[in-house]
Amino acid sequence: MAVLFIRTALFYGAIVIFLRIMGKRQLGELQPTEFAVTLLIADLAAIPIQSGSIPVLNGLVPIAVLLVTEMFLSILTLKFRKLRMIISGHPMTIIKQGKIQQDVMKKLRFNTDDLLEELRLQGVSDVGDVDYAVLETNGKMSVFTNDQNGLFYSVISDGKVDKKVMENLNLTSRDLLRIVRSHGYTDESRVFLMCMNQQHKVFIEGKQ
Amino acid sequence: MSRYITTFVIFILTVSLTIYSSIYIKNHCKALNSLMEEAEYFIENSMYENAEAAVLEAVKTTRQKRAVLCVLTNHDIIDNLSNNLVRTLSLTKNKEKALALSEITVTREIIDAIFDAQLLTVENIF
């Protein structure tokens, strides 16, 4: 019994340390990869705790491998936007400029009850008040009402331009370069993040 | 940054530990297998004192390395191996040729299973 006591404490400590290394993001809203890691960690820890004949290392080594994989993947997704899209998916706009996107809802298998429930959870009782509703990659819905600035799209992320967003905002390459230069940056590659809404209101931050 | 360094250190430690444990177990299995081969040869030729010495050596080595082996692999397998070795030693001491030989065959099967479990094969992965 004393062995079980020590094993449990050991795994508790190890998991807390590993989750801390993975970062605060792990403890909040989970991305698909993070969710998978969390599920697996719980399972991997439970087996050696319950069975005294299985070495502690049989639980700790796979958990360490998961930690390393998760960190490696997070570095890659930080650098490569396309990989981020493949792994985490991308936010889906369910209500766009006050209009419900039924094709998107069908694609997401999101019914009207789900939509109304999510809106209620965000404190919105009338769908008509909603300008934009976006289902984020972590499964939460962001809601923007008519009185707000509307949805800001990420046009440039880590120096890379998103052509689809540009099309969506009716923005030409020339316009973009002009905006970037007006904020004191030589070109798009110098920009860390640039967001813009339908009214072409801009947020821009340069690379450090 | 420190988070990445810690992860890298954990990665290096994990890989080193995995390689070390695999080599350690494989080496022990190889040593045991050759001792069992020796013992088998001696028993077949009714040289029981030599066979006993070989099996005793195997028992002693396993007892010495037991703590490390139990940290690296399943305790049940190591317990099985230890029990079989002790049984083989007892049968060899009592000059029970047929039983000792069959016990050696079983022990070698266990050793091979431990060795094979360390190999990076499709069978082990899936």
Side-chain angles (χ1 to χ4, degrees):
Chain A
M1 201 53 91
V3 172
L4 277 179
F5 183 86
I6 293 166
R7 272 173 172 249
T8 311
L10 199 73
F11 270 101
Y12 177 75
I15 290 171
V16 168
I17 291 167
F18 285 162
L19 288 178
R20 284 288 294 122
I21 294 170
M22 278 185 204
K24 279 201 170 71
R25 219 156 63 105
Q26 189 69 23
L27 306 171
E29 303 304 338
L30 300 174
Q31 293 290 336
T33 53
E34 295 160 350
F35 184 62
V37 167
T38 313
L39 278 182
L40 285 171
I41 285 179
D43 221 34
L44 283 167
I47 299 166
I49 287 174
Q50 285 170 348
S51 171
S53 66
I54 295 172
V56 167
L57 281 180
N58 277 19
L60 288 182
V61 169
I63 292 174
V65 172
L66 284 175
L67 161 77
V68 172
T69 315
E70 172 61 22
M71 288 299 276
F72 181 66
L73 212 60
S74 69
I75 294 168
L76 286 181
T77 52
L78 205 68
K79 287 277 161 209
F80 304 104
R81 194 186 165 94
K82 273 193 179 163
L83 184 70
R84 190 158 66 224
M85 293 295 171
I86 292 168
I87 290 171
S88 302
H90 48 87
M92 302 288 263
T93 310
I94 290 179
I95 298 177
K96 192 176 179 181
Q97 289 173 316
K99 198 165 168 40
I100 297 174
Q101 308 295 302
Q102 293 179 27
D103 51 335
V104 176
M105 283 183 68
K106 207 178 260 180
K107 213 168 165 184
L108 293 168
R109 279 168 285 134
F110 209 78
N111 60 42
T112 46
D113 291 336
D114 294 332
L115 177 64
L116 293 173
E117 186 183 325
E118 285 292 339
L119 292 178
R120 281 197 300 271
L121 285 169
Q122 298 291 326
V124 179
S125 55
D126 184 3
V127 191
D129 288 344
V130 180
D131 197 16
Y132 281 93
V134 180
L135 192 67
E136 305 292 355
T137 52
N138 58 22
K140 292 271 171 189
M141 189 182 273
S142 306
V143 179
F144 302 88
T145 47
N146 292 331
D147 54 335
Q148 292 172 342
N149 282 321
L151 186 62
F152 274 79
Y153 295 93
S154 148
V155 186
I156 304 173
S157 169
D158 210 6
K160 291 185 182 81
V161 179
D162 194 325
K163 300 275 181 200
K164 270 189 185 169
V165 172
M166 278 177 64
E167 267 174 41
N168 199 12
L169 293 168
N170 295 321
L171 197 70
T172 62
S173 302
R174 240 169 101 183
D175 292 337
L176 183 66
L177 194 62
R178 189 178 45 77
I179 294 166
V180 167
R181 284 188 176 155
S182 71
H183 283 83
Y185 304 105
T186 50
D187 57 28
E188 293 93 339
S189 66
R190 307 301 307 154
V191 177
F192 180 67
L193 181 68
M194 179 180 148
C195 296
M196 187 184 263
N197 66 0
Q198 292 287 353
Q199 290 80 43
H200 284 200
K201 196 174 173 190
V202 175
F203 167 83
I204 192 161
E205 183 81 44
K207 278 186 184 174
Q208 284 175 347
Chain B
M1 196 62 188
S2 64
R3 203 165 271 171
Y4 294 133
I5 294 167
T6 315
T7 309
F8 184 70
V9 171
I10 290 173
F11 173 68
I12 296 294
L13 284 176
T14 312
V15 171
S16 312
L17 183 72
T18 310
I19 294 169
Y20 171 77
S21 82
S22 181
I23 292 171
Y24 190 90
I25 294 169
K26 277 182 192 171
N27 284 346
H28 183 63
C29 289
K30 276 181 194 166
L32 281 186
N33 233 338
S34 75
L35 284 170
M36 287 295 106
E37 255 177 54
E38 265 180 46
E40 196 173 23
Y41 170 79
F42 289 134
I43 293 169
E44 276 170 356
N45 294 293
S46 303
M47 297 156 77
Y48 293 105
E49 283 76 22
N50 292 344
E52 195 186 322
V55 179
L56 193 63
E57 177 69 25
V59 171
K60 275 184 185 169
T61 326
T62 307
R63 273 186 190 154
Q64 274 170 6
K65 294 183 174 175
R66 193 187 153 77
V68 181
L69 287 169
C70 283
V71 169
L72 301 177
T73 191
N74 207 315
H75 297 200
D76 292 342
I77 299 171
I78 303 302
D79 289 343
N80 273 350
L81 179 66
S82 301
N83 291 344
N84 269 61
L85 285 171
V86 171
R87 214 176 295 139
T88 312
L89 182 66
S90 163
L91 292 167
T92 314
K93 265 184 191 171
N94 293 320
K95 298 178 182 174
E96 301 269 9
K97 192 173 183 171
L99 289 174
L101 283 173
S102 73
E103 203 61 48
I104 284 178
T105 311
V106 175
T107 310
R108 286 183 69 179
E109 277 296 313
I110 296 171
I111 295 166
D112 285 344
I114 298 171
F115 185 89
D116 288 345
Q118 302 306 313
L119 299 175
L120 200 63
T121 59
V122 176
E123 185 189 329
N124 283 341
I125 293 170
F126 295 100

